Each structure stands twice: as C-alpha cells, then as structure tokens.
Amino acid sequence: MGIMRIGHIDINVLDINVSREYYVNIMGMNITREDSDGTLYLKCWDEWDKYSLILRPSDEATFNRVAYKVKNDSDIDDLKEKIEAYGIETEILPEGTIVECGRVLKFNAPSGHEFNLYAHKTFLGKDVGSTNPRPWPFEGRGIKAHWIDHVLLMCQGPEGVMASTKFFQEVLEFDLAEQVTVGPNGSLQAATWLSRTSTPHDVAFVAGPEIGMHHFAFFLDGWNDILRAADVMAMHNVKIDVTPQRHGITRGETIYFFDPSGHRLETFAGLGYLMQPDMPTITWTEDELWRGIFYHTGQENGAFTTAYTLSAYK
Amino acid sequence: MGIMRIGHIDINVLDINVSREYYVNIMGMNITREDSDGTLYLKCWDEWDKYSLILRPSDEATFNRVAYKVKNDSDIDDLKEKIEAYGIETEILPEGTIVECGRVLKFNAPSGHEFNLYAHKTFLGKDVGSTNPRPWPFEGRGIKAHWIDHVLLMCQGPEGVMASTKFFQEVLEFDLAEQVTVGPNGSLQAATWLSRTSTPHDVAFVAGPEIGMHHFAFFLDGWNDILRAADVMAMHNVKIDVTPQRHGITRGETIYFFDPSGHRLETFAGLGYLMQPDMPTITWTEDELWRGIFYHTGQENGAFTTAYTLSAYK
Amino acid sequence: MGIMRIGHIDINVLDINVSREYYVNIMGMNITREDSDGTLYLKCWDEWDKYSLILRPSDEATFNRVAYKVKNDSDIDDLKEKIEAYGIETEILPEGTIVECGRVLKFNAPSGHEFNLYAHKTFLGKDVGSTNPRPWPFEGRGIKAHWIDHVLLMCQGPEGVMASTKFFQEVLEFDLAEQVTVGPNGSLQAATWLSRTSTPHDVAFVAGPEIGMHHFAFFLDGWNDILRAADVMAMHNVKIDVTPQRHGITRGETIYFFDPSGHRLETFAGLGYLMQPDMPTITWTEDELWRGIFYHTGQENGAFTTAYTLSAYK
Amino acid sequence: MGIMRIGHIDINVLDINVSREYYVNIMGMNITREDSDGTLYLKCWDEWDKYSLILRPSDEATFNRVAYKVKNDSDIDDLKEKIEAYGIETEILPEGTIVECGRVLKFNAPSGHEFNLYAHKTFLGKDVGSTNPRPWPFEGRGIKAHWIDHVLLMCQGPEGVMASTKFFQEVLEFDLAEQVTVGPNGSLQAATWLSRTSTPHDVAFVAGPEIGMHHFAFFLDGWNDILRAADVMAMHNVKIDVTPQRHGITRGETIYFFDPSGHRLETFAGLGYLMQPDMPTITWTEDELWRGIFYHTGQENGAFTTAYTLSAYK
C-alpha cells in the first residue's frame, strides 16, 4: 500500500500565544498536546490521529518538514529500500523521536525538502466520535476546518519541481493529477499536483526562487463554507491575500490568507474530481497558467509568487 | 494495487427509448455506443472511459452485474488466485466479451451478486478534455451528473451482508467505512459501506428479502446541485421517492428517485469525509438506524425497504 | 403608507421553560422581556424592535393573534376608518395595553382571526448594530433565524380565505402574489399569499376545517442555511414534518417542523422573487396544487392538512 | 404609493452586435424589441414588463438615463408637483416618446442625472408564465440573471451625493438604508443606498470626480449562483474587475465586471436584509469605508474608483 495521506506539517511561528489563539479560535483546531518548550500540537475536528500540525516557538517563521502516514509499519522498510535504491539517503528515527509517533523514515526529496514517513501515531478519534456520529460538531469554532488537506512546496526552478515530481511518481507511487508546462514545447514542469488519495492532490510542487513552503491547506465542504470562512476571517482581521476564487487546476474553491507569522494558508473546498491512477493527467499550458491558478480572471492575483515560507534548514 | 473504482453498472430496462431520453436529457449522460440489439452504453461528462452504464432492452427491469476496474492487467491474475483460494469459482472472459473491455474476471460474491473485474476499457476522455479544461461543461444537460459513484446491493438477510462484506474486506481489500449493527449485542451487520477510493463508499450492502440492487448513485458536487437536480426532476415528472436529505451515514446529501423502468437511483453529493484505511469504522446502532439513513427525521421514509431491483439471474 | 410588515405573533405554549430553551437555543432568538406571569418576549438577531414573538404559559397550545406594524401613528386612524367603513368593528387599545407598544388598532378579519396594528414598539436594534456592522453575528445560536417572516392562517373553507383575502386587498392594500384556485372554473380561492413588502408574502390564508394558525416562518438566507437548520434540528431531536423542499408557490426553500407545544413552524429561505403591485398574480390550478406546495414530488407530504394550531378564542 | 422600482437603464454601447451577443448569451437576457437604428430592448427572464435595458449603438460608451416605474398614472402628476415645488424643472413626455411606455415625467436630480418616471409599459410576462410556473426556466442561458436590481450613480463629490440623497428621501420618499460618512465629525455623505422596495437598495449614489454611472446590477439568488456566474464569465473571457466578494454594505454577494463597451456591471445576490422605513440607517465610518465595500479584505480592490461610465449629457 505505502503512503496513505498527509500526516502533519511542522513549522516555526513567531508568537506562540498569538498562533494558539489563531489556530484554535479562527481555524477551529484543538490543542491536543503542549510541550514544555511551548511547542503546540493541534488537530482538526474531523481528524482522528493526535495531531496534524506542529507549531514551534521561534524567531523565524520557517518550514521544517512535512510527514506522510503509511499504511503498515513494513511500508517503512520497503520505502527505505526503494528510496535508497533511487540514490537518496534515509534515516530511521526510533519510536518517540517524533512526538507520539512510531519509528519514522526521514529523507530529503530531490527538491531539498525534508519528508518524514510514519505508520503509527497516537489515536484520539474524531470530535464527533464513531458511534452514531453527528455530521459536524455543533460546538465547532471559527471556520471549523475539517482536516489539513495538502501542502504546496516551492522548489528551485522547474528543475526542482521535475526532480521531486519524478521521485514522488516513481518511488512513492503518487499519481500526477495536473501539471503546468512551460519552456520549449512545454518540456518543463513549472508546477505539479500529485495524489495518493482519490482527491486531486496530497502534495504539489511549484517552481520559485527558493526552497520553501508556498502554503498548506485546510479542507472545507464547499463554496458556502468558503464564504462563511472569509466572513469569519474578516471579523478577526485575518490578512486575506486572495478572496474566494475558483482554481482552474483541481477545480477547488479557495481562499489564500496568512497566519499571524506570515505563513500562507489556504481553505480548499470541494472534492474537485475523483482522482484515479488512470485519469489522464491534466496539462495547463504556459499561456493559460494563470487561468489554471485563478480561473475567474486568468490573471496573477495577490502575492502568489512573492509571499511564501522559507525552509528552516537550507 | 488491485481494484480502483466502480467501472460500470449493467441493468435491463423496459423501454429503451424512454430510458435513452431519461439518461441523456435528465441525468445528462452521453450515449457512446449503441448495439444492434438496442443495448445502449453511456458515460457521464466527468468520466474518461467509454461507458459506465449499460442499458439492455428487456421485458424485465432487473440487475445483471456490476464491474470494477483494477489498476493493472496482472491484478486480474492476482485477484483470481485470491478469490479462488477463498473458495469462490471464477471465470476469465476473453478480451471483447464485455464490450470495449480487455479480459474480465467474473465471479459471484458470497451474497450471490455477479461481479466483473477488468483492467482495460476503451478510453474516450472527459467532456472538458485534459488541456486547460473548464471546471464543468458549459453545454451540459439536465442534472449534469459527474460520474456513477457507487452501488448499494441488497443481500438476503444480515448473513448475505456479512458474507460479502468479509469477502470484500479480506480478498478485495476494501475498507469498512460504516456499518449498521443489529441483533444480540449488535453482532450482526444489517448494512455495510466499503471503500477502495478515499470517498466513503464504492460499494455497499444492505440486508433485505432478496438478492438485487437497491440503487446506484450519480455524483454531484454539493447541496446546491441537489436542489437544482430535484427541480430538474420535478420539471420532468421524475418520480422522487425521497426528497433532498442528509444521510447520517457517509454525511452525503441525497435524493432517491426512480428511472422509467423503476430502478431506484440516487444523487449523492459531497465528499462526506476523507475515507482512509486507518479511519475508525463508524457504527450505527439498531436504535439509530434510521437516523443513519435519513438524518433529519431519523425515521423511515419513502419506499426504502420495499422498492428495489431484483437480480436478473436468481 | 399603512402597514409595513409583520410585527409579532402571540401564541400560547404548554411548558414555558421547554419553549424558552427551544426558541433561544435552537431557533437562536433572544429573550428581551419576561413578565411575572411567565410570559416571554423574544426577538431574532436581525430584528430591531423589542420583540416579534410572545409566548404565554398555558394549558392549551393555541393561537391568540398576530400584529402588523404600520408606518405612522396616523395610519391607525386612517385604517380604523377604512376598516369600519368595510363593516368591521374595531377597538383602539391605549398605549401600553400591548406590552412595549403604542396604541393598537384591534379587529377581527372576516376569517375570524384577531389582528392588531401598531405604529410604535420599543426599539432595541439589531444584534450586529448599525455602525460598521458584521453581516451576521459571530456568536449566533442554533439555526440563527433572521426574523419572523410571515404567518399562514387557516380559515374555514374557501369562503373564509376569500373573505379575508378581499379585505386584505381592498382595505389593508396588500397585493395578491399567488393563489390556489379550485371548484367550478377555478372560481374559489383555496389559498392566497399576500404581500406588503417586496417579498412574496407577509400573510397567507389557507382553507381548512377550523380557524387557526397553520404555521409561522423564520427567515434564513438560502438553501445552505436550510441544510444547516435541518442538521441542527436533528441534533436536538426536533420533530420535522417536512424535510428540506422547494415550494412551487413563492419559490421558497423550506422545512416544516414543530415546536415543543406542537405549533407548526417553518424555515423559509430566499427572496423567491421581487414582489411588486404590478406583478401578475400567480395562479396554481387544482390539479397542480401539491406541485405548488411541494414542488419536487407534487404530492401531499407530512401532516400539512391535519396538524395546525387552533385559535384560542373561537 | 409613488415609485415602485427601477424600470430600465438606458445606455450607449460601442458595437451593438457584440453587445447583443453578450447580454443575450452571457447575461441571459431576451431581445424583446429592435429598432431600425439598431437600438435593442432587452428583459430578463423574471421580469414582466417589455424591457429593462436599452442599448443604443454609439461611438461613445455613455450613460443616458434611468427610469423608475410608479404605481399609478396619477403618481406622475403628484410627483411632478412635488418635484417642482422642490425647485426642480420637469417635463412630461407624451405616451410613446419613451418606447412602449405611457407618458413620462422627466427631470434631472440635483446630482445632474436624468431620471424618467412612468406608470405604464407594454406587458410581456415572465418567461415562466403565471400559471403553475416553474421556479426557473429550464432553457435559461448564461448566468440566467433574474432582473436588473439597482443602479449606482456617480456624483460630483459628497455635495452631489448629499443633494440627490436629500431629494430622493424628501420628495421621492426613498428610505436611506446605508451611508458612508466622511469629513469632520462624519458630516458628509460619501455614498448612500436608498430603497423603495424592501431590498437594501433600488438606487445608490457615490462621490466621484464626474457625473456618471458607476454600475448597474443584475440579481442572482445566492452565493452559488455567484460562483456559477463567475465561471460562465471566465468561459467567455469576460473582464472581471472584482471576483466574488461579500459587500459589508447591503451584505450582498457580488462580482464586478465589464460589458464589451466598458460599462461596469455587477451581479448582486441575496436579499441581504429586509429593508423597512423604520430600520435604523446603517452608517459606515470613513476608516471602515473599504470594509463596507469589500468586506473580506477591507481594502480597495480593482478599478472601483477609476472605471465608470460618463453621463452622455454633461
């Protein structure tokens, strides 16, 4: 089986108390663990594992790593072998090294980003339980985000995108849902969207000047939740970069906004389409690139190309 | 990898011309092939393989079989071996036996329903194409169904449900998303929802008096499409059995209605939740059974237990 | 100018504490006054006058009266004269007789229902204020009803409907938005919808066996709020009579349900259409009556004709 | 009674054939009359009078006038007297001077804009008819606009806004729903929203450098229609100025975009709130002005202050 889905995002934030307030009351997450150094672990109401977000107090708002969950513990050994055969060094971190997790396979993708794979994390259950559950928690807070849906990582140029994309397809067995092609005969991938679930993307890569995280996204049900979320953000003076839009790519309904440290976030709504291994990859050509990103205007909007999070370890 | 998703439904209809009109103009499907015996093959705009529905002219409105698509041709051999090891006879139908398909693995599940597995079907592509696609086809018809989402099969009693559920979990590697438990200590499964994609169900089984098909479902994006679909049905005098509802089970937004031959259909909207192999199975207890089916009233509604499609081959 | 809109509904309830809990936590109203005899006065967040609902503790769940607000105090004198000229007795109740209101013009419509007209009621303001207001209150409760939208009164037979309709059109200058016609050549009005605002109805009359109130309605923005409201009702075991539907009449999106005393309530969503004095009256013929009421099925549903509230003073 | 609602907008367009294509296929209007000089008259599906938009072929994309419909022919005489008593010259245009209309009262508001008032226009009926009507026309086109909802007129400075606002309140009996106040102690009105129906505005005035039309708006039901409309616009390369937003003012859901001549248009969705003569006027202070216009960001967006239509007759 191998990788199932995104497990958690690990980032550094500037003011842990401001961040706590933001992710709890506006994003609607729960604090499920707090370390003595101030590190916070949070989960969304519709997630069952102990956390999907780690916020570390820091004087830099940077990206540390992203973790994916594999189905079986043996997948860690299988993937370790495959990744090393591909020429990438790996390391096994013993159980507990990553808080509340079993052993972890650690490596850097060709684009330079650190990835962690794990098979076990402490189980907490959804807020609505698993016996005769309500469809949503009556006592939800803020935008009531369902789960952390995906991360878009910034790579150095199309070369970085293509290197990590090839690795994710060939070694980690992600499927390529969509791509933006540029350059002579569209021979370069400026951005790619890859999937392990049947949603359009569980990870994406985009070319940029530096190694970092462009954004990570919270899932919402649909377009009406997007309006409600934007209203909630306005009520709390959240800095919105791009107001409610349709993505051409993934068909998703979206808002881009920033957390108090300046990390770009997204609310992503809708299934988009049923992604499958045999679905023909969707290609956006260079002249329609912005139609792909922001479908309604087909033009660059906000600080899409200039505001992102640098990787902590360069 | 094994099974990817539902491939097609094969049913018999009473008046092929009335059915054609219905599935084309109200459901919004395209006819992609027509055989000299009147058999029609149809696909939805968001599907890429040649057909997802076979309508055969008949004097009985019955269910023939359902087919699932596997990822690789070799999956057919692997699954053949596993299915036979489980004690179930199988048969390989040579390429072309099932129209436009490669070789097919045919068998009957423990509940008695015929299943087909195939790895290849003629490729047509989505109506919106795969280069700079629109999010939906401007020239859509009727309810503009995206794809055929799942089938709910009726089994003889909880025994039939439990036998097929066990087989789908153990041999076909479906995950059990939800179950209704009845009987002493909830020891019997009256209904089960099983998934291979990351949506809540790709097949479901429910206990009833006979072997047959309870309904199959078309996917729509969300609750607003459900209203629009119900309006379209009303404009065309479609017989609606259960008007727009929330399912407790799957969280889906739904309408139950009938095709001109009396086959029960559903529009199912929303992702519901992200189904994953490690998601705890959701259990509905006997006293909350109807809350699970029809969340708003928690009561039986329409002809849910009495109107279904018999299997053609008993 | 004359009548502006519905002002308040005055009903008797069986258990005032159960009712308080229901209207506050599920409907989302605020208690704005409480009398020593237990009578409760409530308003919705989007209303500015002190109350729109009076709940009186009683051993009967009955309807007392409905009040409409006129624009100017002089309208009371003008309307008194016109109503009496029409042959209907009236009475002026001095300021304060109706709690928090100025003087009131009291009369019984030809159908037998008591109506009150007033020009002044204590002003409180919307929950969101009137300076740089939020579009909705972040701290809303339950279904977050905007306002009480309309009342449907049950009259004795088409004769009762026609008598009150004629009076409301000719004397109170309501416009007839829609009607259901029955009998020989459609010569009888079985139900009528009348408007003073530019929404489809501010009052409606329907023929039945007795004098009473069929239901009163809370306004919600749209179809998504209807789903959310139905979910909230289910979470609180509210007895729903008719799940989310489209009305053919008014185009409204609706749920019918009951309060703890058995009073039928409605959530009504959407503008429907812009009602205007010169809009041609919409007529529903006898054979399409139920398509008018419940558009999707075109059939009777729930206890529409059998569950209603009797008038307290027969 | 006096004025009921907006009757029609009269503008000059650059290429009548391009405009025809645009308003028919994208806005979804019907051509109901065409004059030999190329002038087009159009109505939306949910309007009943013969036209609500006049497009005149021209080499200038300018604004001519806006017409409002009064209830009774005698209102024309009453309003003529009141307007002249206010010190404004008027003229009665004989029946037929304005195509398909009865006699017309013509005058210029203090801001300099020409207004026409009429009581009669040829009746056509809604596309869905008035007997057992469908809630929407199955054969609609493009964004399926319901009706022309309001116009926002640009006046020279707050003085122009205040002069016309006072006149509309005192003489034409519009109610002031909302205002933006600026200057010392908020003593100047930079913009006003005025209502004759029970929707938040039937006309609005905004301060700017010149006399002209800022935009006119088409009504849509709600936020989902806004998404669909923006998708349709993108599919037809319509120039969108401001993508789907919430207005703080009026609570409306909106898109700003341009017609082929450069006239700014809006889709406005939702009732917003029930406007009433006694609703307290909502005030937006200077520091929250942009929160009022674009609620989500609270910042200027697009060409709101720079792209508008000049008046043809200065």
Side-chain angles (χ1 to χ4, degrees):
Chain A
M1 169 73 190
I3 291 173
M4 291 195 295
R5 67 173 178 284
I6 199 167
H8 61 258
I9 307 276
D10 181 338
I11 56 175
N12 301 318
V13 297
L14 299 182
D15 183 322
I16 197 69
N17 289 323
V18 169
S19 294
R20 175 205 300 263
E21 172 77 12
Y22 180 91
Y23 284 97
V24 169
N25 291 322
I26 308 181
M27 295 302 106
M29 300 185 83
N30 299 323
I31 308 265
T32 55
R33 176 180 167 129
E34 190 167 351
D35 285 347
S36 57
D37 66 355
T39 300
L40 296 179
Y41 302 80
L42 305 97
K43 76 180 272 292
C44 297
W45 70 265
D46 215 7
E47 296 170 326
W48 50 89
D49 281 345
K50 183 136 186 185
Y51 62 86
S52 59
L53 182 64
I54 305 176
L55 302 177
R56 299 183 191 275
S58 172
D59 55 2
E60 280 192 333
T62 45
F63 166 77
N64 294 318
R65 60 190 66 82
V66 57
Y68 281 79
K69 191 175 188 185
V70 299
K71 187 172 178 187
N72 307 302
D73 194 68
S74 60
D75 292 324
I76 290 179
D77 301 310
D78 294 348
L79 287 168
K80 177 179 167 59
E81 193 175 334
K82 290 177 70 179
I83 292 167
E84 292 184 349
Y86 194 79
I88 289 175
E89 281 177 46
T90 71
E91 183 185 350
I92 296 279
L93 308 178
E95 184 177 341
T97 311
I98 304 298
V99 162
E100 310 269 355
C101 289
R103 64 190 183 126
V104 164
L105 178 64
K106 172 184 168 183
F107 61 92
N108 284 64
S111 53
H113 299 88
E114 182 187 328
F115 282 84
N116 287 180
L117 303 183
Y118 66 92
H120 296 294
K121 187 184 278 179
T122 306
F123 173 83
L124 276 188
K126 300 183 187 181
D127 283 16
V128 291
S130 57
T131 304
N132 307 325
R134 291 176 169 184
W136 44 273
F138 187 63
E139 304 293 344
R141 291 183 311 277
I143 71 166
K144 302 179 189 180
H146 282 256
W147 59 75
I148 291 185
D149 186 80
H150 67 265
V151 64
L152 172 55
L153 298 173
M154 181 167 279
C155 309
Q156 286 185 299
E159 295 70 23
V161 170
M162 293 169 80
S164 267
T165 299
K166 184 168 184 284
F167 170 73
F168 269 70
Q169 287 186 273
E170 295 186 3
V171 180
L172 304 183
E173 298 185 53
F174 280 64
D175 295 301
L176 182 62
E178 308 209 23
Q179 61 183 345
V180 172
T181 57
V182 298
N185 301 316
S187 56
L188 302 174
Q189 290 170 314
T192 55
W193 288 260
L194 296 129
S195 179
R196 277 294 296 173
T197 64
S198 45
T199 70
H201 58 331
D202 297 301
V203 73
F205 299 103
V206 64
E210 297 179 278
I211 298 173
M213 178 183 72
H214 187 271
H215 70 265
F216 69 91
F218 291 95
F219 186 82
L220 295 178
D221 277 330
W223 181 239
N224 269 73
D225 303 285
I226 289 287
L227 175 60
R228 195 184 164 286
D231 285 348
V232 167
M233 291 177 200
M235 291 175 190
H236 293 84
N237 290 304
V238 170
K239 184 169 164 49
I240 296 182
D241 187 49
V242 180
T243 49
Q245 303 280 324
R246 161 84 78 189
H247 283 314
I249 295 161
T250 73
R251 294 185 195 158
E253 298 142 5
T254 184
I255 308 169
Y256 284 126
F257 54 104
F258 297 104
D259 90 347
S261 302
H263 293 297
R264 175 187 294 273
L265 304 179
E266 183 184 24
T267 50
F268 183 89
L271 173 55
Y273 49 77
L274 189 73
M275 177 56 192
Q276 288 279 281
D278 66 333
M279 190 191 83
T281 293
I282 295 167
T283 298
W284 294 82
T285 56
E286 194 162 358
D287 56 318
E288 290 288 299
L289 184 162
W290 287 106
R291 183 71 72 191
I293 308 292
F294 300 122
Y295 188 68
H296 293 155
T297 59
Q299 295 182 340
E300 191 169 349
N301 189 345
F304 189 83
T305 59
T306 55
Y308 48 85
T309 295
L310 283 184
S311 180
Y313 313 108
K314 285 163 243 181
Chain B
M1 168 75 188
I3 290 174
M4 291 193 296
R5 68 173 177 283
I6 198 167
H8 61 257
I9 307 276
D10 181 339
I11 57 174
N12 302 318
V13 297
L14 299 182
D15 183 323
I16 196 69
N17 288 322
V18 169
S19 294
R20 174 204 302 263
E21 172 76 12
Y22 179 91
Y23 284 97
V24 169
N25 291 322
I26 307 180
M27 295 301 106
M29 301 185 84
N30 298 322
I31 306 265
T32 54
R33 177 181 165 129
E34 189 167 354
D35 285 346
S36 56
D37 67 354
T39 300
L40 295 180
Y41 302 80
L42 304 97
K43 78 181 269 292
C44 297
W45 70 265
D46 216 7
E47 296 170 328
W48 50 88
D49 281 343
K50 184 137 185 183
Y51 62 86
S52 59
L53 183 62
I54 304 176
L55 303 177
R56 301 182 190 274
S58 172
D59 55 2
E60 280 193 336
T62 46
F63 165 77
N64 294 317
R65 62 190 64 81
V66 58
Y68 281 78
K69 192 175 187 183
V70 298
K71 186 170 179 191
N72 307 303
D73 193 68
S74 60
D75 291 325
I76 290 179
D77 300 312
D78 294 348
L79 288 167
K80 179 180 167 58
E81 193 174 335
K82 292 177 67 179
I83 293 167
E84 292 185 349
Y86 195 80
I88 290 175
E89 282 178 47
T90 71
E91 183 185 351
I92 296 280
L93 308 179
E95 181 176 343
T97 311
I98 302 299
V99 162
E100 310 269 357
C101 288
R103 64 189 184 126
V104 165
L105 179 64
K106 173 183 167 181
F107 62 92
N108 283 65
S111 55
H113 299 89
E114 181 186 327
F115 282 84
N116 289 179
L117 303 182
Y118 66 92
H120 295 294
K121 188 184 278 180
T122 306
F123 173 83
L124 275 189
K126 299 182 187 181
D127 284 17
V128 291
S130 56
T131 304
N132 306 324
R134 291 176 170 183
W136 44 273
F138 188 64
E139 303 293 345
R141 290 184 311 276
I143 71 166
K144 303 179 189 180
H146 282 255
W147 58 75
I148 291 185
D149 186 80
H150 66 266
V151 63
L152 172 55
L153 297 173
M154 181 167 277
C155 308
Q156 287 184 301
E159 295 71 21
V161 170
M162 292 170 81
S164 267
T165 298
K166 183 166 184 284
F167 170 72
F168 269 71
Q169 287 184 272
E170 295 186 3
V171 180
L172 304 184
E173 298 185 52
F174 280 63
D175 295 302
L176 183 63
E178 308 207 24
Q179 61 182 346
V180 172
T181 56
V182 298
N185 301 315
S187 56
L188 301 174
Q189 290 170 312
T192 55
W193 288 258
L194 296 129
S195 179
R196 278 293 295 173
T197 65
S198 45
T199 71
H201 58 332
D202 298 299
V203 73
F205 299 103
V206 64
E210 297 178 280
I211 298 172
M213 177 184 73
H214 186 270
H215 70 265
F216 69 91
F218 291 95
F219 185 83
L220 295 179
D221 277 328
W223 182 239
N224 269 74
D225 303 284
I226 289 287
L227 174 60
R228 195 185 163 283
D231 285 347
V232 166
M233 291 178 199
M235 291 177 190
H236 292 85
N237 291 304
V238 169
K239 185 169 164 48
I240 295 181
D241 186 48
V242 180
T243 50
Q245 303 280 326
R246 162 84 75 190
H247 283 313
I249 295 162
T250 74
R251 296 186 194 155
E253 299 143 3
T254 184
I255 309 168
Y256 284 126
F257 55 102
F258 297 105
D259 91 345
S261 301
H263 293 297
R264 175 186 295 272
L265 305 179
E266 182 183 27
T267 51
F268 183 89
L271 172 56
Y273 48 76
L274 189 73
M275 175 57 191
Q276 289 278 282
D278 66 333
M279 191 193 82
T281 293
I282 295 167
T283 298
W284 294 82
T285 56
E286 194 162 359
D287 57 319
E288 290 288 298
L289 185 162
W290 287 107
R291 184 69 72 190
I293 308 291
F294 299 122
Y295 188 68
H296 294 155
T297 59
Q299 295 184 341
E300 190 169 352
N301 188 346
F304 189 84
T305 58
T306 54
Y308 47 85
T309 295
L310 283 184
S311 180
Y313 312 108
K314 288 164 244 182
Chain C
M1 168 75 189
I3 290 173
M4 291 194 295
R5 67 171 178 284
I6 198 165
H8 60 259
I9 307 275
D10 181 340
I11 57 174
N12 301 317
V13 298
L14 299 182
D15 183 322
I16 196 68
N17 289 322
V18 169
S19 294
R20 176 205 300 263
E21 172 77 12
Y22 180 90
Y23 284 96
V24 169
N25 290 323
I26 308 181
M27 295 300 107
M29 300 185 85
N30 298 323
I31 307 266
T32 55
R33 178 181 163 126
E34 188 166 354
D35 284 348
S36 56
D37 66 354
T39 301
L40 296 179
Y41 302 79
L42 305 96
K43 74 180 275 291
C44 298
W45 70 265
D46 214 7
E47 296 170 327
W48 50 90
D49 280 345
K50 183 133 185 187
Y51 62 85
S52 59
L53 182 63
I54 305 176
L55 303 177
R56 300 183 191 275
S58 173
D59 55 2
E60 281 192 334
T62 45
F63 166 77
N64 293 318
R65 61 190 64 82
V66 58
Y68 281 79
K69 191 175 188 185
V70 299
K71 186 171 178 188
N72 306 302
D73 193 69
S74 60
D75 291 326
I76 290 179
D77 301 309
D78 294 348
L79 287 167
K80 178 180 168 58
E81 194 175 332
K82 291 177 69 178
I83 293 166
E84 291 184 350
Y86 195 79
I88 291 175
E89 280 178 49
T90 71
E91 182 184 351
I92 297 279
L93 308 178
E95 183 177 342
T97 311
I98 304 298
V99 161
E100 310 268 357
C101 289
R103 63 189 183 125
V104 164
L105 179 64
K106 172 184 169 183
F107 61 91
N108 284 64
S111 53
H113 299 89
E114 181 187 326
F115 282 84
N116 288 179
L117 304 183
Y118 66 92
H120 296 294
K121 186 184 279 177
T122 306
F123 173 83
L124 277 189
K126 300 182 186 182
D127 284 16
V128 292
S130 56
T131 303
N132 307 324
R134 290 176 170 183
W136 45 273
F138 188 63
E139 303 294 343
R141 290 184 310 278
I143 71 165
K144 302 180 189 179
H146 281 256
W147 57 77
I148 291 186
D149 186 80
H150 67 264
V151 64
L152 173 54
L153 298 173
M154 182 166 279
C155 308
Q156 287 184 299
E159 295 71 22
V161 170
M162 293 169 80
S164 266
T165 298
K166 184 168 182 286
F167 170 74
F168 269 71
Q169 288 185 271
E170 294 185 4
V171 179
L172 303 183
E173 299 187 53
F174 279 64
D175 295 301
L176 182 62
E178 308 208 24
Q179 62 182 345
V180 172
T181 57
V182 298
N185 301 316
S187 56
L188 301 175
Q189 290 170 313
T192 55
W193 288 259
L194 296 129
S195 179
R196 277 293 297 174
T197 65
S198 45
T199 70
H201 58 332
D202 297 299
V203 73
F205 299 104
V206 64
E210 297 178 280
I211 297 172
M213 178 184 72
H214 186 270
H215 70 266
F216 68 91
F218 291 95
F219 186 82
L220 295 178
D221 277 329
W223 182 239
N224 269 74
D225 304 284
I226 289 286
L227 174 60
R228 196 185 163 284
D231 285 348
V232 167
M233 292 178 199
M235 291 175 189
H236 292 85
N237 290 306
V238 170
K239 183 169 164 50
I240 295 181
D241 186 49
V242 180
T243 50
Q245 302 280 324
R246 161 85 78 188
H247 283 312
I249 295 162
T250 73
R251 295 184 193 156
E253 299 143 4
T254 185
I255 308 167
Y256 284 126
F257 54 103
F258 297 104
D259 90 346
S261 302
H263 294 296
R264 175 187 295 272
L265 303 179
E266 183 183 24
T267 51
F268 183 89
L271 174 55
Y273 48 77
L274 189 73
M275 176 57 190
Q276 289 279 281
D278 67 331
M279 191 192 82
T281 293
I282 294 166
T283 298
W284 294 82
T285 56
E286 195 162 357
D287 55 318
E288 291 287 299
L289 185 163
W290 286 107
R291 182 71 71 189
I293 307 293
F294 300 122
Y295 187 69
H296 293 154
T297 59
Q299 295 183 340
E300 192 169 348
N301 188 345
F304 189 84
T305 58
T306 54
Y308 47 87
T309 295
L310 282 185
S311 180
Y313 313 108
K314 286 163 242 178
Chain D
M1 168 73 187
I3 290 173
M4 293 194 294
R5 69 173 177 283
I6 199 166
H8 60 258
I9 307 276
D10 181 339
I11 56 174
N12 302 317
V13 298
L14 299 182
D15 183 323
I16 196 70
N17 288 323
V18 168
S19 294
R20 175 204 302 262
E21 173 76 12
Y22 179 90
Y23 284 96
V24 169
N25 290 323
I26 307 180
M27 295 300 105
M29 301 186 84
N30 299 323
I31 307 266
T32 55
R33 177 178 165 130
E34 189 166 353
D35 285 347
S36 56
D37 67 354
T39 301
L40 295 179
Y41 302 81
L42 305 97
K43 77 183 270 294
C44 297
W45 70 265
D46 215 6
E47 295 170 328
W48 50 90
D49 281 343
K50 185 137 185 184
Y51 62 86
S52 59
L53 182 63
I54 305 176
L55 303 176
R56 300 183 192 275
S58 172
D59 54 2
E60 282 193 333
T62 46
F63 166 76
N64 294 317
R65 61 191 64 82
V66 58
Y68 281 78
K69 193 175 187 184
V70 298
K71 186 170 179 190
N72 307 303
D73 193 67
S74 59
D75 291 326
I76 291 179
D77 301 312
D78 294 348
L79 287 167
K80 178 180 167 59
E81 194 175 332
K82 291 177 68 178
I83 294 166
E84 292 184 350
Y86 196 78
I88 289 175
E89 282 178 47
T90 72
E91 183 186 349
I92 296 281
L93 308 178
E95 181 178 342
T97 310
I98 304 298
V99 162
E100 310 268 356
C101 288
R103 63 187 183 127
V104 164
L105 179 64
K106 172 184 167 181
F107 61 92
N108 284 64
S111 54
H113 299 88
E114 183 187 327
F115 282 84
N116 289 178
L117 303 183
Y118 66 91
H120 296 296
K121 188 184 276 180
T122 306
F123 173 83
L124 276 188
K126 299 182 187 181
D127 284 17
V128 292
S130 56
T131 303
N132 307 325
R134 292 175 169 183
W136 44 274
F138 186 64
E139 303 294 343
R141 290 185 310 279
I143 71 165
K144 303 180 189 177
H146 281 254
W147 57 77
I148 290 184
D149 185 79
H150 67 266
V151 64
L152 173 55
L153 297 173
M154 181 165 279
C155 307
Q156 286 184 300
E159 295 72 23
V161 170
M162 294 169 80
S164 267
T165 299
K166 184 168 184 286
F167 170 74
F168 269 71
Q169 288 185 270
E170 295 186 4
V171 180
L172 304 183
E173 298 184 53
F174 280 64
D175 296 302
L176 183 62
E178 309 207 24
Q179 62 183 345
V180 172
T181 57
V182 298
N185 301 316
S187 57
L188 301 175
Q189 290 169 313
T192 55
W193 288 258
L194 296 130
S195 178
R196 278 292 296 172
T197 64
S198 45
T199 70
H201 58 331
D202 298 300
V203 73
F205 299 103
V206 64
E210 297 179 278
I211 299 173
M213 177 183 75
H214 187 270
H215 70 266
F216 68 91
F218 291 94
F219 185 83
L220 295 178
D221 278 329
W223 181 239
N224 268 74
D225 303 283
I226 289 287
L227 174 60
R228 194 185 164 282
D231 285 348
V232 166
M233 290 178 201
M235 291 176 189
H236 293 84
N237 291 304
V238 169
K239 183 169 165 48
I240 295 181
D241 187 47
V242 180
T243 49
Q245 302 280 325
R246 160 85 75 189
H247 283 314
I249 296 162
T250 74
R251 295 184 194 157
E253 299 142 4
T254 184
I255 309 168
Y256 284 126
F257 55 103
F258 296 104
D259 91 345
S261 302
H263 294 297
R264 176 186 294 271
L265 303 179
E266 183 184 26
T267 51
F268 183 90
L271 173 54
Y273 48 78
L274 189 74
M275 175 57 192
Q276 289 278 280
D278 66 332
M279 189 191 84
T281 293
I282 295 166
T283 298
W284 294 81
T285 55
E286 194 164 357
D287 57 317
E288 290 288 297
L289 186 162
W290 288 107
R291 185 70 71 190
I293 307 291
F294 300 122
Y295 188 68
H296 294 155
T297 59
Q299 296 184 338
E300 190 169 350
N301 188 345
F304 189 83
T305 58
T306 54
Y308 47 86
T309 295
L310 283 183
S311 179
Y313 313 108
K314 288 162 240 180

